[in-house]
Amino acid sequence: MKILIINGPSLNLLGTRETNIYGELSFEDYFDEIEQHFPEFEISCFQSNIEGEIIDKLHEADLEFNAIIVNAGAYTHTSVAIGDAIQAIDTPVVDVHISNVMAREDFRQVSYIAPYCVGSIIGFGLDSYYLALEYFRKFS
Ligand code: DQA
């Protein structure tokens, strides 16, 4: 099973960005851990700070991948266009957030993406990605 993780803006800075919220591990180091934990999956990762690149990747991935995990970062709360792109594709998408966005500022409690996803996993630190992969392991 081929799974793509898409990370949005500023998630390239994990490990140094607001470590009190997002932790001290870089995504590259975490990615090594999940790859070891899910040897049955072929997992790829794409990060972009640019909305249109994320949309292009979702369109491309629809043909290439069996499942997608998206953390759209701040675009979650602003991007009708990313929500539309998820709605437009057939591949199942799980929405993931490291922090508990429901316990943060009001603007983070709005998602233009969650309604088009299979479900959302929010607030388990980087292990939100692990839990999304577990979901695909169980149901694939
Ligand atoms: C985030 C939550 C968003 O509100 C924020 O803009 C991010 C990260 C998370 O994973 O907790 O960049 O998506």
Side-chain angles (χ1 to χ4, degrees):
M1 186 172 186
K2 290 181 72 176
I3 300 185
L4 176 65
I5 297 173
I6 298 180
N7 277 335
S10 300
L11 292 168
N12 52 315
L13 300 181
L14 287 174
T16 56
R17 169 196 183 196
E18 296 173 278
T19 52
N20 56 323
I21 298 175
Y22 300 113
E24 292 185 354
L25 199 60
S26 69
F27 195 78
E28 290 69 26
D29 288 346
Y30 185 70
F31 187 78
D32 289 345
E33 282 181 24
I34 52 179
E35 270 196 314
Q36 280 173 34
H37 202 87
F38 293 94
E40 71 271 47
F41 291 155
E42 197 182 314
I43 309 171
S44 308
C45 183
F46 173 80
Q47 190 279 329
S48 176
N49 297 319
I50 300 167
E51 189 176 21
E53 286 185 1
I54 294 170
I55 293 164
D56 285 345
K57 197 67 185 177
L58 283 161
H59 294 172
E60 281 166 38
D62 196 25
L63 304 172
E64 253 184 76
F65 290 87
N66 308 103
I68 303 171
I69 295 169
V70 173
N71 182 350
Y75 285 141
T76 307
H77 320 299
T78 62
S79 181
V80 173
I82 293 176
D84 277 355
I86 293 172
Q87 195 177 19
I89 64 174
D90 294 323
T91 307
V93 177
V94 170
D95 171 48
V96 153
H97 298 283
I98 298 163
S99 64
N100 182 359
V101 287
M102 301 315 281
R104 298 180 64 192
E105 301 95 324
D106 287 352
F107 69 84
R108 293 188 205 275
Q109 295 174 28
V110 173
S111 176
Y112 287 93
I113 286 169
Y116 309 114
C117 294
V118 180
S120 298
I121 300 173
I122 293 172
F124 294 93
L126 281 168
D127 283 330
S128 295
Y129 294 90
Y130 172 93
L131 293 169
L133 289 162
E134 251 329 313
Y135 164 76
F136 287 121
R137 171 142 77 184
K138 190 161 181 189
F139 292 103
S140 59

